[in-house]
Amino acid sequence: MLFPTVSFGIFFIFVFSAAWLLVRHHTWRLIFLTSVSYVFYAFWDWRFCFLLLFSSVVNWWFGELIYKSQGDARRNLVAAAVIIDLVVLAFFKYYNFFLGSLNVALEHLGARHDIPYLDIVLPVGISFFTFHAISYVVDIYRKKLARPAPLLHMLLYISFFPQLVAGPIVRASHFLPQLEHPVDPDDIRATRAYLLILGGMFKKVVVSSFLAASVVEPVFFDPGSYGARDLLLAVYGYALQIYCDFSAYTDIAIGVAALLGYRFPENFDQPYRAIGFRDFWRRWHISLSSWLRDYLYIPLGGNTGDWRRYKNLMITMLLGGLWHGAAWNFAIWGGIHGGLLVVEHRFLGERWTESARSWVKVLGTFITFQLVCLTWIFFRAVDLPHALSFIGGFSRVSATSTLATPFTLILISLLLAAQFLPTDRMAILERYAIRMPPIAQGAVAGALMIAIFSIGPTGIAPFIYFQF
């Protein structure tokens, strides 16, 4: 079930109405939201609802044991819980990848032995709900949660439908305390939620879909048929497509959760205005980058000594790359980001941008964006040979471009310019919109939604991050 569809609209109207009718019956409201979250997930494959249930119950049980234990027993229990979570993730997501790599290695060693692959279906959103599960047991261990969650709360935390399949990654210590008390209708920022949902719908239905269909898909499908200009246009197009696509999902998720009374963290902050890769990862997929920092980088040792810091950065980014997909091109994508982060830490220091002159900041932003776009080639390509073939195509210099229409160039330019809008732009829009009577707000939102679907193409492709 996709957000920008009629089926989800009907589903959410029902959920929204019933959830607020149950607002005075807190436990029944949580039972209802958990049930509809499982129904939402069952639209993809009902069988994996059992996997979702398994993850929830097992990690809840470990949380109880960790809370009651002391000393080494606590560490051993949290390690066991994390290992179980990662083994489940590795089986579904990485089994055939590791098997293929092993077969290739054996062939190079002259010991060819084709180990059979398994026909494994990847459960949608498994990376996200696995990270939620790990967050819970680690937060219990670190005492960021005052006490273990009731089983019902844990079931809802892992399965809550707005963020279930593509984030943002909401930490247990952020979400579970919100379930302890009934939501307050007077505390709902409905206008902001509507703006987030409308903006997300526009980015997904109109912008992302147009860039994918007109530029990105044709070029990445057959890069050998295009010259350097079209290849470059496709790279810029994909950089903006993935930003619009993924930020659209998380904006809608944040808005939908807000209308039900729950707060999700921000996940994007104009990432293409970043000066350097540290700044980029403070702005891009914030919930993932902060999760990797707190649950992987710091436990590895963090910034304790220069060379240990560099090693930890590389490990974190390599694993972050593989988290996105079971392929070497994702590992290379993460490795390049890790290498560039090491270069920044080694030669530029922690706060070089604070004392840098304006022209240096402009140049730093320009170079950062070009390097980010270069790494997106490995992220988007179907495999490593395809990525290298794409990069090799930049040598085919042609005088004309078949895809650089005036509309496409203007759209890409406007999208890039939007990265430099005031950071409080949403608050400004909210102040203007909130002056309108509720009926007027609803009428305008409805009209804009109809306009978005009228402009957008027929049929909506799944969000890019569904595959992760």
Side-chain angles (χ1 to χ4, degrees):
M1 188 187 299
L2 300 175
F3 280 165
T5 59
V6 173
S7 59
F8 178 79
I10 296 171
F11 170 82
F12 183 67
I13 289 172
F14 166 72
V15 172
F16 177 81
S17 303
W20 285 108
L21 287 173
L22 292 169
V23 70
R24 297 185 183 276
H25 307 279
H26 184 54
T27 300
W28 283 108
R29 189 178 199 265
L30 298 183
I31 292 172
F32 170 74
L33 289 175
T34 303
S35 301
V36 295
S37 294
Y38 273 80
V39 170
F40 178 84
Y41 197 64
F43 268 80
W44 276 279
D45 195 322
W46 63 269
R47 295 170 298 176
F48 290 126
C49 288
F50 295 104
L51 179 63
L52 200 61
L53 182 64
F54 170 83
S55 177
S56 303
V57 173
V58 167
N59 284 280
W60 169 79
W61 180 67
F62 269 104
E64 294 282 337
L65 295 178
I66 293 166
Y67 180 74
K68 297 173 183 176
S69 302
Q70 300 293 330
D72 290 341
R74 284 171 56 83
R75 286 191 290 272
N76 293 336
L77 285 167
V78 75
V82 171
I83 288 171
I84 290 172
D85 289 328
L86 294 179
V87 166
V88 172
L89 177 65
F91 174 75
F92 283 100
K93 192 167 184 176
Y94 302 105
Y95 177 84
N96 284 334
F97 167 67
F98 288 134
L99 205 60
S101 300
L102 178 61
N103 281 330
V104 170
L106 290 174
E107 185 174 354
H108 283 302
L109 293 172
R112 180 180 177 85
H113 182 73
D114 289 330
I115 305 173
Y117 291 90
L118 296 179
D119 186 17
I120 300 172
V121 178
L122 180 66
V124 66
I126 187 173
S127 298
F128 288 93
F129 68 72
T130 298
F131 273 24
H132 283 109
I134 292 173
S135 168
Y136 175 71
V137 294
V138 174
D139 283 356
I140 289 285
Y141 173 75
R142 292 177 176 174
K143 300 183 179 179
K144 290 188 175 182
L145 288 168
R147 56 187 175 276
L151 179 57
L152 174 59
H153 293 195
M154 185 64 176
L155 291 171
L156 179 57
Y157 166 60
I158 298 295
S159 68
F160 193 37
F161 71 89
Q163 48 75 41
L164 174 58
V165 294
I169 299 169
V170 185
R171 300 186 188 195
S173 56
H174 176 87
F175 186 73
L176 285 169
Q178 298 181 51
L179 303 182
E180 293 179 0
H181 307 285
V183 298
D184 182 0
D186 295 329
D187 195 34
I188 307 303
R189 296 177 65 178
T191 302
R192 187 178 184 85
Y194 296 145
L195 290 172
L196 285 168
I197 293 170
L198 285 169
M201 290 291 187
F202 179 77
K203 284 189 288 186
K204 171 59 180 175
V205 175
V206 179
V207 180
S208 176
S209 297
F210 173 80
L211 289 173
S214 63
V215 179
V216 177
E217 297 295 340
V219 176
F220 273 91
F221 178 75
D222 186 16
S225 299
Y226 296 90
R229 293 188 180 185
D230 284 335
L231 293 175
L232 185 62
L233 186 68
V235 173
Y236 289 153
Y238 182 68
L240 293 166
Q241 180 205 351
I242 191 172
Y243 166 72
C244 289
D245 192 281
F246 191 24
S247 68
Y249 184 94
T250 55
D251 283 351
I252 297 169
I254 293 168
V256 166
L259 290 177
L260 293 172
Y262 303 105
R263 299 179 305 279
F264 283 177
E266 182 182 16
N267 209 33
F268 289 91
D269 182 19
Q270 297 173 300
Y272 294 141
R273 70 184 298 168
I275 308 173
F277 275 71
R278 277 174 295 185
D279 191 27
F280 176 77
W281 280 103
R282 294 186 190 107
R283 297 171 177 272
W284 177 272
H285 201 350
I286 300 167
S287 64
L288 172 65
S289 58
S290 61
W291 194 100
L292 291 173
R293 179 196 65 207
D294 294 341
Y295 294 91
L296 179 58
Y297 177 71
I298 291 176
L300 285 172
N303 294 337
T304 54
D306 285 346
W307 293 109
R308 190 172 182 181
R309 174 198 302 179
Y310 306 151
K311 178 200 71 175
N312 294 339
L313 280 171
M314 287 302 301
I315 292 173
T316 300
M317 295 311 299
L318 283 168
L319 292 177
L322 285 172
W323 176 85
H324 284 86
W328 286 113
N329 47 307
F330 287 109
I332 290 173
W333 174 79
I336 295 173
H337 276 262
L340 291 167
L341 285 168
V342 168
V343 169
E344 281 190 35
H345 278 272
R346 181 70 179 88
F347 297 105
L348 297 178
E350 291 287 348
R351 295 181 174 86
W352 70 274
T353 57
E354 295 178 7
S355 58
R357 298 186 178 185
S358 297
W359 69 268
V360 174
K361 293 181 179 180
V362 171
L363 182 61
T365 300
F366 176 80
I367 293 173
T368 301
F369 178 66
Q370 306 309 315
L371 291 173
V372 167
C373 287
L374 175 64
T375 64
W376 282 136
I377 297 173
F378 293 95
F379 193 94
R380 172 59 179 80
V382 294
D383 52 32
L384 181 57
H386 187 266
L388 296 176
S389 173
F390 191 104
I391 294 172
F394 285 117
S395 62
R396 295 192 297 272
V397 180
S398 58
T400 60
S401 169
T402 60
L403 300 176
T405 64
F407 179 79
T408 300
L409 294 176
I410 291 171
L411 177 62
I412 289 176
S413 299
L414 289 175
L415 290 172
L416 288 174
Q419 294 288 298
F420 299 90
L421 289 171
T423 54
D424 62 345
R425 62 200 180 280
M426 183 60 70
I428 294 172
L429 283 173
E430 186 180 8
R431 282 200 298 271
Y432 281 105
I434 207 168
R435 297 173 185 173
M436 302 169 61
I439 294 178
Q441 287 187 35
V444 171
L448 289 174
M449 194 70 76
I450 292 171
I452 288 169
F453 281 98
S454 299
I455 297 171
T458 303
I460 303 297
F463 288 90
I464 292 172
Y465 263 68
F466 277 16
Q467 62 186 298
F468 307 137

